Amino acid sequence: MGKGFFISKAVGIVAIILCAGALAVIIALSVVYSQEKAKNQNQVSPTDGGSTSKPPVTPSPSNEPWDKYRLPKSLVPDHYNVTLWPRLTEDVTTGLYIFTGDSSVEFECAEETDLILIHSNKLNYTKLENNHLAMLTSVNSGVKAPSIKYSWLQNVTQYLVLQLDGKLSKDHRYHLVTQFTGELADDLGGFYRSEYMEDGVKKVVATTQMQPTDARKAFPCFDEPAMKAIFYITLIHDHGTVALSNGEVKDSSNFPVEGHNVQKTIFEPTEKMSTYLLAFIVSDFAFINNTVDGVLIRIFARKPAIAAGQGEYALNKTGPILKFFEKYYNTSYPLPKSDQIALPDFNAGAMENWGLITYRETALLYDEEYSSNSNKERIATIIAHELAHMWFGNLVTLRWWNDLWLNEGFASYVEYLGAHEAEPDWNVKDLIVLNDVHRVFAIDALASSHPLSSKEEDIQKPAQISELFDAISYSKGASVLRMLSDFLTEEVFTMGLRTYLGEFAFGNANYIDLLNHLQMAVIANGTQLPDTVQNIMSTWILQMGFPVVTINTTTGVVSQQHFLLDPDSEVTAVSPFNYEWIVPIKWMKTKVIQEPQWLTTKSATNNEMKLSGAVTDWVLANLDVVGYYRVNYDTDNWKRLVANLGTDHQLIPVINRAQLVDDAFNLARAKIISTVLALETTQYLNNEKDYMPWESALSNLDFFYLMFDRSEVYGPMQNYLRKQVTPLFEYYKTMTLNWSKVPDGHMDQYNQVNAISLACRTGLEECQTLVKTWFNQWMNTNENKIHPNLRSTVYCNAIAAGGAKEWEFAWSQFVKATIATEAEKLRSALACTKEPWLLNRYLEYTLEPDIIRKQDATSTIVYIANNVAGQSLAWDFVRARWSYIFTEYGGGSFSFSNLINGVTKRFSTDFELQQLQQFKADNSVVGFGSGTLAVDQSIERTISNMKWITENKQNVLNWFDNAV
């Protein structure tokens, strides 16, 4: 039996009977689909539902339980026995790929009821001998189960509904048995298929993505995270294929059916877990493996990828990261194995299925010849993210999706800690500031943002749940947890974390439970705080946005206000704290780190922050940007800081140099300081060699490109930036011995890319000649000598400078690319052409899954929209095809918000605003799914952009003219 699993004698006997009966059921499953056509006159396809007995007519709107999206609390699952048989060839009758299955779930009745609701979506059921869609029996022979009176599928709320002719008895257990057929569709959700070509032969993989609400597409289940159970999984599959699931293989044997032999693989029972963490996969992949302290680690991928050694990096780093998290959590890894598999088609970056983690190929496979250092970093951080979930999320799981931020925010924070353990020379922990804090500031500064934690009753429908998978949950969650860990100290933070995991192991919790354990650790350690952990963190969790903290170094007054990119925007969301926060402030005065302070009110006076000494003195707050807020100063201190950047910038820590630039530009957009002052923070960059300040500057100047690359400001801006980047270009030219070697440092490798990218973008002739020469050498010799680090920027700039010949060559290389990371670089670069007809062709390709994989469609459209020549083309394309895009790509997609934000971020005219508002109105019936909030954010951002241009265009033009 599985660890921690107890089975009574009565239950054991039932399980034996079920296992014996399963043999007959499995054979029957092979012909279920054709039998259904004969048995049911109202047969529908697997994607539509199934035949039903008619329920009582219910008036609309209904208050019936089956019309509500949340399960009643009357039934609690204990364990499931699920057998699935995916067909990796098309069904001859329907032309569909299908799977057949049978399931039995044992549940306990917690409250008397005559109704069974169990989630089911796009499954087609076989009528059993009782002429219903399911069979109900009692586990205890002394208690008779009621008969099923009505059975039907409630498609809107995704239930199989069973009305009984009597009540289930409280505290008694029952079995519910079903047989079903589903479509193994290519929709990236539930039990789905992924296809790829190998040696000219099409291969099919049956795989899964259950999170958040698609386990119900694979088998009927109580599909809520708190409905944890144990799962006994069996897969039927062809010989020559490999079956994987969460548990280890218990038995695999030959199994005759339909006149030929297949294989039946039975897995060990899982631990008690949530449905969304289930996984089962059938493929002919290969694997490599090792064992670390008794834990079997395997990396699965396409056979050519494994043969080429592309799984080695992931295999080598998984062990150290696992060991790090065991130490961090002070808890052994809860499972005997850790399988990781790279899939050709996968909608998310990766998924933390317990014991069988699924990845995009680009997130797991590394090839030194083709992969850049950013590809390698992505692999290390994503592996760390998913392994962090094995404890935080899987062992202890959120009670409901309104606390998704805690699950994903935590993993998004500690992924940097795990990656640092794997690659200690990278300083990767610093990059959370660029990748998460600064990234999410842009969204959380909108009046249409939302708090980290939602009310449970506000998150009901699957579309509402999917909408939570956004930058707020991931990046703001990571940022505030990093802040919390910092002001508590990591020792206290991990102390509370460990007792939290101990109390709720194999169960469910919410964010309050974690804060309570952190408070216990604070008390045990004697840590001094201005308030309880819950009261401090509630100001960051229960209200949207963040503050700008203003320090007046003349008066010593420190104050806070809700930071909004558009100060004129109307905040309609009511805050329980009146948009005030309890703010931890780490700061320094002229190179000397000071005692940390707290701002607990709207405004306070701190005389230590006054400047009364030399004109070279200055105050700098939010050291290393550990706090989730922006910082503003009086004009005099700003000028001192800018002057210090110009004379000796290294006196200011590197992360804070990036912060000064980012804060200044965003404060200017919010009309708190002048845009000219923000631009002045870039004047020192001709002496800056570090990556983070440059990346911060380029990220903010991207906004200037978006606003001005269609206006007369563009030319002077290009001239200024070309002047600023030329010393950096020359620096890396010298460091790399005329581009012949790779910089040693991880950050230097990144900044070399920035130097080449900006130099070419601003028209530095030497740079443009360089990239065109490299690209032409590849075209002429068919030998690609461009270093993987530089390929993305070289490909893009060469295609932008070229015409159809360069584009067609890159397209041919993309089509035949077998390395996912190389294909990704080419797919992005193909969007860089200036030829509208090529961009339109490329847009058409995005909706042809045989050309551009479904997982890549939305990001490809965004790549095209990023190109000024493709912006209007992409927008017109999305508007014209929205209904089709939403229908075809909606099932497993969390990417609609990225798509909508991506194609509208350049919008800055009244005409574009009207188009956006019309787009919202025209598609109100179709809907926007996970992009619903993004539509409102795009409208708000467009209005803000319009105002900003009106107020700043002339000043910006004058400044660039005078700065050259």
Side-chain angles (χ1 to χ4, degrees), residues 871-916:
Q871 159 68 59
S872 59
L873 304 177
W875 170 235
D876 290 345
F877 182 81
V878 168
R879 282 193 300 161
R881 309 294 182 88
W882 180 255
S883 180
Y884 177 82
I885 292 170
F886 184 76
T887 304
E888 285 296 308
Y889 293 76
S893 181
F894 304 138
S895 59
F896 286 137
S897 59
N898 291 338
L899 175 61
I900 291 166
N901 282 321
V903 297
T904 62
K905 64 183 179 182
R906 196 181 256 103
F907 282 12
S908 58
T909 67
D910 187 56
F911 179 66
E912 288 165 332
L913 175 62
Q914 289 176 31
Q915 286 187 322
L916 188 49

Side-chain angles (χ1 to χ4, degrees), residues 529-545:
L529 295 175
D531 209 328
T532 65
V533 173
Q534 183 174 334
N535 287 347
I536 293 169
M537 293 310 295
S538 291
T539 67
W540 302 95
I541 294 168
L542 299 179
Q543 59 183 350
M544 71 177 188

Side-chain angles (χ1 to χ4, degrees), residues 231-287:
F231 297 85
Y232 295 79
I233 304 295
T234 298
L235 293 176
I236 309 299
H237 55 106
D238 291 336
H239 284 286
T241 58
V242 177
L244 298 172
S245 189
N246 304 80
E248 292 183 295
V249 172
K250 181 179 181 181
D251 181 65
S252 192
S253 58
N254 186 54
F255 187 71
V257 62
E258 288 185 7
H260 65 276
N261 290 326
V262 291
Q263 197 159 349
K264 181 175 72 169
T265 299
I266 301 170
F267 296 91
E268 294 283 0
T270 68
E271 297 286 0
K272 188 177 181 183
M273 59 183 280
S274 301
T275 50
Y276 80 86
L277 295 168
L278 280 170
F280 18 88
I281 300 172
V282 175
S283 72
D284 73 346
F285 283 3
F287 70 93

Side-chain angles (χ1 to χ4, degrees), residues 51-86:
S51 55
T52 67
S53 302
K54 295 298 181 187
V57 175
T58 303
S60 184
S62 161
N63 198 35
E64 297 290 357
W66 52 78
D67 287 323
K68 297 176 181 177
Y69 285 90
R70 292 296 304 275
L71 288 167
K73 302 189 186 310
S74 49
L75 307 178
V76 180
D78 180 82
H79 65 269
Y80 296 77
N81 285 274
V82 180
T83 299
L84 294 166
W85 184 4

